[in-house]
């Protein structure tokens, strides 16, 4: 790898766990409530990774009112948090990555477009809070592909963007990582390889690539006892 890395920034949905069905269902219910019945899997995939305002703007073709965003958010995200317990599990390879990085004292952050309450509920349900140095929500920021949430996470970890690895599954997220000047490992949980072309590397599962391949200097230290 050409990337010299010192920290990892994790997207949440579709990377740590596959919550696509929950998000699709809760969005459908919320959109039905405002009379929008054109919600399809194609539109879901195309907007996955954006924040709620960005999703609504893409669907409606114009900026939504603050009142509409607030109403949709209250219903959709509240239902998501209610349905999450017992209906989510870590994707293959994730726990190995989290554990290895933690053991080697490599800072980790969640950098998600989800509301902070969703992130808190998510990491506690999966019992993975201890692996992260910070949990960063981009919900009130410009949505991905804007790089703001990644840059904020890097700032909190006190690591320069060029030393950060973003792990993503969404097209908007991969684009955001590129705009942030960060390396990106993309997984095909949500999108095909061809759609994730801006990523530094694309894999079908984190189970197929050990973290040592991205952090060879740490592996070398183990071999030499350094």
């Amino acid at each position: 790898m050409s990337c010299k890395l010192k920290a990892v920034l994790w997207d949440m949905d579709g990377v740590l766990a596959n919550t696509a069905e929950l998000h699709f269902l809760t969005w459908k219910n919320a959109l039905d409530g405002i009379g929008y019945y054109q919600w399809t899997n194609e539109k879901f995939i195309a907007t996955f990774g954006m924040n709620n305002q960005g999703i609504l703007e893409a669907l409606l073709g114009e900026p939504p009112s603050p009142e509409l965003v607030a109403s949709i958010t209250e219903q959709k995200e509240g239902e998501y948090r209610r349905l999450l317990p017992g209906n989510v599990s870590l994707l293959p390879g994730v726990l190995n990555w989290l554990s290895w990085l933690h053991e080697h004292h490599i800072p980790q952050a969640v950098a998600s477009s989800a509301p902070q309450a969703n992130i808190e509920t998510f990491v506690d349900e999966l019992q993975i809070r201890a692996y992260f140095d910070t949990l960063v929500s981009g919900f009130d920021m410009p949505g991905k592909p804007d790089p703001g949430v990644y840059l904020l996470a890097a700032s909190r970890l006190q690591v320069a963007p060029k030393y950060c690895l973003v792990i993503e599954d969404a097209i908007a997220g991969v684009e955001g990582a590129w705009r942030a000047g960060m390396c990106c490992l993309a997984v095909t949980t949500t999108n095909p390889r061809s759609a994730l072309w801006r990523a530094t590397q694309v894999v079908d599962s984190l189970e197929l690539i050990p973290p040592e391949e991205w952090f060879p200097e740490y592996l070398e230290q183990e071999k030499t006892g350094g």
Side-chain angles (χ1 to χ4, degrees):
M1 291 298 169
S2 60
C3 305
K4 184 173 177 60
L5 301 170
K6 298 180 181 179
V8 175
L9 313 182
W10 294 84
D11 178 47
M12 190 173 76
D13 297 300
V15 172
L16 291 168
N18 192 350
T19 54
E21 289 186 13
L22 284 181
H23 278 293
F24 184 90
L25 174 63
T26 52
W27 265 112
K28 181 181 184 304
N29 292 343
L31 291 168
D32 283 352
I34 63 170
Y36 183 92
Y37 302 112
Q38 295 80 44
W39 184 234
T40 63
N41 189 59
E42 289 74 22
K43 290 180 179 179
F44 173 66
I45 292 174
T47 58
F48 199 72
M50 298 180 183
N51 61 17
N52 289 359
Q53 180 165 331
I55 291 172
L56 287 170
E57 183 168 348
L59 296 179
L60 302 177
E62 60 183 18
S65 69
E67 293 77 16
L68 178 60
V69 175
S71 175
I72 291 288
T73 295
E74 181 178 3
Q75 178 183 343
K76 187 269 174 188
E77 304 303 347
E79 185 178 10
Y80 172 86
R81 290 191 292 272
R82 288 193 299 273
L83 294 175
L84 190 68
N87 289 307
V88 64
S89 59
L90 292 174
L91 283 165
V94 168
L95 185 58
N96 177 59
W97 268 75
L98 291 172
S99 301
W100 191 91
L101 295 168
H102 187 68
E103 290 169 3
H104 290 80
H105 309 290
I106 298 168
Q108 302 182 75
V110 171
S112 170
S113 296
Q116 189 70 31
N118 285 25
I119 299 174
E120 304 277 348
T121 302
F122 182 98
V123 298
D124 287 339
E125 170 65 19
L126 290 169
Q127 300 181 7
I128 56 174
R129 181 185 286 265
Y131 293 108
F132 299 105
D133 298 87
T134 186
L135 307 174
V136 183
S137 167
F139 184 74
D140 293 322
M141 305 170 64
K144 300 174 184 177
D146 186 278
V149 67
Y150 298 129
L151 296 174
L152 178 58
S155 175
R156 288 190 185 177
L157 295 178
Q158 299 184 329
V159 175
K162 65 180 180 179
Y163 297 127
C164 293
L165 172 66
V166 172
I167 305 182
E168 263 286 358
D169 69 309
I171 297 170
V174 171
E175 174 75 16
W178 180 79
R179 293 186 188 184
M182 299 176 178
C183 289
C184 181
L185 174 61
V187 291
T188 58
T189 314
T190 310
N191 292 282
R193 287 174 172 266
S194 58
L196 303 169
W197 61 276
R198 278 213 186 275
T200 313
Q201 183 178 6
V202 182
V203 294
D204 293 328
S205 168
L206 290 180
E207 193 174 31
L208 301 176
I209 180 170
E212 296 94 313
E213 288 194 20
W214 280 87
F215 295 87
E217 65 274 20
Y218 290 87
L219 187 62
E220 189 61 32
Q221 289 174 12
E222 288 182 344
K223 291 179 179 178
T224 60

